[in-house]
Amino acid sequence: MTTAPTPPVPPTAPTEPAQESAAAAVGPAASPAAGRTPSPAAPGRRLTVVADQTPCRAVPAGCNSAISSINNNQEIASRPHKAAARAGADIRGEVLLALAQLRLAKPVQLKALLLPHQQGTDHVRRALRNLHTDGLAARAHRAQQSYWYCTPAGLAEAAASGEFPLRSGRTTGRRVAAKTGLREHGLALVDSVVAFHRAGAADHTDWRLEVAHPTPAGSLVPDAVVLLWNGQSAFIEIDRTMSYALLIAKLERYDAYRNAPATGRGNAARPPRPHWQETYSAPYSAERCFPPLLFVFAPAPRRAAPATREAAFHQRAQHAPSVGYRITVATTTLARLTQHGPKQPVWRVAGRHATEDRSPLSALPKAR
């Protein structure tokens, strides 16, 4: 059958799908400068890490949050492949939150926390450069290593996401990265975080660094407080160069916090309770155990080996009246912790009746 010839159609502008394809090839514009007010993420939503290098959805125009929404992996997998906005953009939000949480980290440590199944650190490094371009992260170079931390704009952006509580007085990791002693101490703490994370003992988001606790003699500031997988908390102290006298004095400070008088007014259902009970015990739990104090001995130049320092600490802790009674103190070395994990028998309990035997974290005695 013959048909009438189709009249010629005048040329028109490209169709809408063609425009979308062209836009995808070019990629969206870079995020606005970090000095602008960041747009908060939805409250109560934890950002999901994409464990591979599948590029994420392009950030909508007008959205200036550094933390992009990437928690719908099925939707990403079902869409046609598009070029990423910038390399590493799919995990830049997770990297920013981790830096804000830990204050200082190396790319290999961030990879262990966020992309443990990847072989190298290239994807994390691209995300770090992405954040650096937007003024949200900075780095320091020492001994052919790069150490990354949040800028003030990065901390503000992390706080605006609703995923990171920005405490008053919170500072960036710039000072920590610049000084060798502080830097190595901070990195040893992050290595401990990685060891707990790998063992499933605690997620890196369940750590709080340098939180002040009131005592009659002044504030107690642990290196970290971690919420464990079993719902209990633990105090973490990293030792590299502290004198034994100061270590024993720190035990006395924890004992003072344990015995601090009750704070608050209470209510009709219960009387006022001490700060540690208000903070670290469930409101309706009959078991109120003071969190264990965990010492991790890390190596330091021109100091005795961590195992030697650990043994010397135990000799002195035998004479501390509170250890083993009012507070539970357990120790390990950073090498032992990273090799075996905190759930394995790596902890040596201190006190008058302590032995050289080691216990897993779940078998530590409880102090009341």
Side-chain angles (χ1 to χ4, degrees), residues 85-348:
R86 282 181 294 176
D90 53 339
I91 62 166
R92 72 195 299 264
E94 292 290 342
V95 172
L96 179 64
L97 288 178
L99 288 178
Q101 189 86 14
L102 303 174
R103 186 173 296 177
L104 174 76
K106 295 188 295 186
V108 66
Q109 294 171 323
L110 293 170
K111 196 274 297 184
L113 293 173
L114 303 178
L115 299 175
H117 302 296
Q118 285 198 349
Q119 295 297 323
T121 60
D122 292 346
H123 204 50
V124 168
R125 291 179 185 276
R126 286 194 290 266
L128 288 167
R129 290 193 293 267
N130 192 323
L131 294 169
H132 184 267
T133 300
D134 288 344
L136 302 177
R139 61 185 170 184
H141 292 282
R142 297 291 187 278
Q144 298 181 345
Q145 291 277 354
S146 59
Y147 310 95
W148 291 82
Y149 54 91
C150 280
T151 63
L155 286 179
E157 184 78 2
S161 72
E163 301 290 330
F164 174 75
L166 185 60
R167 303 192 308 269
S168 60
R170 179 78 180 188
T171 60
T172 69
R174 180 177 181 179
R175 177 172 173 268
V176 177
K179 295 191 174 183
T180 302
L182 294 177
R183 182 177 66 250
E184 296 304 318
H185 182 277
L187 294 175
L189 178 56
V190 178
D191 283 336
S192 301
V193 174
V194 172
F196 275 72
H197 182 83
R198 284 175 171 168
D203 190 76
H204 71 279
T205 58
D206 294 325
W207 290 70
R208 294 186 299 155
L209 275 56
E210 298 184 353
V211 179
H213 297 69
T215 77
S219 293
L220 166 69
V221 184
D223 286 334
V225 181
V226 58
L227 179 64
L228 301 173
W229 83 100
N230 57 9
Q232 297 181 345
S233 298
F235 299 114
I236 306 294
E237 293 286 353
I238 306 296
D239 174 69
R240 295 180 63 252
T241 60
M242 186 174 289
S243 68
Y244 297 118
L246 290 179
L247 289 176
I248 300 302
K250 183 169 289 189
L251 297 180
E252 297 174 355
R253 183 63 62 89
Y254 275 96
D255 189 33
Y257 174 61
R258 164 70 176 77
N259 296 311
T263 57
R265 295 177 297 177
N267 52 45
R270 59 168 178 79
R273 299 190 298 177
H275 182 272
W276 73 266
Q277 291 187 6
E278 293 285 353
T279 308
Y280 299 114
S281 62
Y284 304 103
S285 174
E287 187 178 36
R288 298 173 182 173
C289 302
F290 189 74
L293 172 57
L294 307 179
F295 276 92
V296 179
F297 289 88
R302 296 182 297 278
R303 295 283 179 169
T308 303
R309 289 180 56 81
E310 182 187 24
F313 170 79
H314 276 267
Q315 292 179 355
R316 289 161 174 80
Q318 291 179 359
H319 306 289
S322 61
V323 176
Y325 295 94
R326 292 188 295 269
I327 58 176
T328 297
V329 180
T331 68
T332 190
T333 63
L334 182 60
R336 192 186 297 269
L337 178 65
T338 55
Q339 180 179 358
H340 302 288
K343 288 187 174 182
Q344 299 301 315
V346 300
W347 302 101
R348 182 180 173 186

